[in-house]
Amino acid sequence: ESDEFGSVDARGTEFGSKVHEFAEDYALGEDVEPSNKDEEAIKTLLDAFDGDIYVEESAVLPIDVDDNRVAISGIADLVHVADDRVEIVDYKTDQTRRAHDEYRKQLSVYYHVLDAEYPDRKVIPTIFYTADAEQVTIDPLSIAQLQSLVQTL
């Protein structure tokens, strides 16, 4: 399952894919039961939601960079739309926070797409670290910060 060093790849991509698959199936109301601690954490999180749930939502953010328009895209694992807020949840099975800054870039894209789509609600981008059942709110990068990241690519 995991090694004592807690390396990011200790549990491998196969484990991460299996957890994501469970999360999607459970959110869609399939008859699935958690088979490990990570999946139990996801079930608890999803059971607490009180609004509409959307899984694998694609997000495309057009950005102007040096007179060119480019699109940054990605797929948000889960979007929870409640009356007063929109929560973006990205599941991560990592046992460390080493890649947190990379995830912040990814979630910032989802944030700006959904913020434009739901101007009347607070949009909250989060990472759900399944290993310790912790939902961490991300401070999204601004459009200008994302533009400068794209310029350096």
Side-chain angles (χ1 to χ4, degrees):
E1 280 236 321
S2 64
D3 67 16
E4 60 270 18
F5 303 112
S7 67
V8 173
D9 297 323
R11 303 195 293 175
T13 53
E14 192 178 318
F15 180 82
S17 298
K18 185 178 170 301
V19 169
H20 275 80
E21 193 176 310
F22 166 82
E24 186 176 343
D25 289 348
Y26 189 79
L28 292 171
E30 305 280 328
D31 187 19
V32 290
E33 285 299 319
S35 64
N36 57 51
K37 199 172 121 259
D38 294 66
E39 292 174 2
E40 284 170 15
I42 288 169
K43 178 184 184 301
T44 301
L45 175 79
L46 295 181
D47 286 349
F49 286 157
D50 57 355
D52 296 323
I53 291 176
Y54 302 93
V55 297
E56 298 289 313
E57 282 293 297
S58 48
V60 179
L61 181 67
I63 288 193
D64 293 316
V65 180
D66 300 329
D67 300 327
N68 293 313
R69 180 154 267 215
V70 298
I72 311 174
S73 62
I75 297 175
D77 290 335
L78 184 132
V79 177
H80 168 232
V81 180
D83 292 340
D84 59 340
R85 70 194 182 288
V86 175
E87 278 179 273
I88 306 161
V89 179
D90 216 44
Y91 306 114
K92 300 298 178 191
T93 55
D94 307 4
Q95 293 178 292
T96 71
R97 301 290 193 266
R98 219 170 317 188
H100 194 78
D101 286 344
E102 281 306 306
Y103 300 151
R104 182 179 179 212
K105 295 172 195 172
Q106 181 186 1
L107 274 145
S108 296
V109 171
Y110 308 155
Y111 168 82
H112 289 290
V113 169
L114 288 160
D115 192 47
E117 203 171 307
Y118 295 96
D120 56 333
R121 296 177 203 180
K122 181 180 171 105
V123 176
I124 308 163
T126 70
I127 295 173
F128 187 69
Y129 286 102
T130 62
D132 53 12
E134 188 181 0
Q135 189 173 13
V136 180
T137 301
I138 299 298
D139 179 24
L141 298 169
S142 68
I143 294 283
Q145 288 170 305
L146 288 170
Q147 283 171 320
S148 66
L149 279 175
V150 172
Q151 279 172 322
T152 59
L153 294 178

